[in-house]
Amino acid sequence: MYLYRQTFNAARLVRESLLICLLSFNISAVKQVKLRILILGCGWIGEALADRLMLEGHEVYATTTNLEKYQRLQAAGIFAIMANFDEPVDQSDFPSHIDFVLNSIPAVKRLDYPLLTARFEAARTLLKQLAYRKHIFLSSVGVYPDMD
């Protein structure tokens, strides 16, 4: 229960940050606007946020490398995309325009610097091909215990 509460609180914090970004674009009726949001690296915080945004009526796209999570996201009505940024990514799997990108691709310690650099360069290359209004980086590395 504690972990669920922490996940929910973290997702709420990210959602509130997105709403603040919306307000900076002078959108007055935030809850009445249907947004297209792309979550790169849909981990535990990203999934909680995606579920919450879906309930609010937004169009959510999320990447994962895990087949079970892919199926779970799809079942929840989220546009799930199988994408591993350590390998070539097929741009055609992604929407051409979105409102917000939440980049939560993990930067784990077990990868050396060249592999991490390649991972984020692949994400950067993809983002160059998409039209979006705001790019937000999220890291949950300091939120949960170091297990790897």
Side-chain angles (χ1 to χ4, degrees), residues 6 13 39 42 47 53 57 59 67 72 90 92 95-96 123-124 128 134 136 147:
Q6 293 300 99
L13 178 64
I39 301 173
C42 190
E47 187 172 4
L53 293 169
E59 193 171 305
L67 181 59
R72 190 170 59 239
D90 186 358
S92 68
S96 60
R124 190 170 79 90
K128 283 182 185 178
K134 192 77 167 174
I136 301 167
M147 302 297 248

Side-chain angles (χ1 to χ4, degrees), residues 38-141:
L38 172 61
I39 301 173
L40 299 177
C42 190
W44 60 281
I45 291 178
E47 187 172 4
L49 176 65
D51 288 337
R52 179 82 178 225
L53 293 169
M54 281 294 301
L55 289 174
E56 292 179 5
H58 301 293
E59 193 171 305
V60 181
Y61 297 80
T63 69
T64 183
T65 59
N66 181 291
L67 181 59
E68 180 185 331
K69 183 176 280 189
Y70 173 85
Q71 293 168 342
R72 190 170 59 239
L73 293 170
Q74 280 194 320
I78 296 163
F79 296 96
I81 302 167
M82 288 293 289
N84 183 344
F85 289 92
D86 294 334
E87 301 168 0
V89 176
D90 186 358
Q91 178 193 333
S92 68
D93 292 337
F94 292 82
S96 60
H97 68 281
I98 43 188
D99 294 300
F100 290 93
V101 176
L102 178 66
N103 187 341
S104 187
I105 297 171
V108 294
K109 287 192 273 186
R110 68 178 170 264
L111 293 179
D112 60 10
Y113 184 74
L115 289 175
L116 278 176
T117 302
R119 175 181 284 184
F120 285 98
E121 182 59 32
R124 190 170 79 90
T125 300
L126 170 71
L127 291 174
K128 283 182 185 178
Q129 307 304 314
L130 305 178
Y132 58 91
R133 295 178 7 191
K134 192 77 167 174
H135 181 192
I136 301 167
F137 182 77
L138 168 70
S139 174
S140 61
V141 171

Side-chain angles (χ1 to χ4, degrees), residues 22 27-35 56-58 99 133:
L22 280 176
I27 297 174
S28 58
V30 172
K31 292 200 176 212
Q32 296 175 357
V33 175
K34 182 177 179 179
L35 299 174
E56 292 179 5
H58 301 293
D99 294 300
R133 295 178 7 191

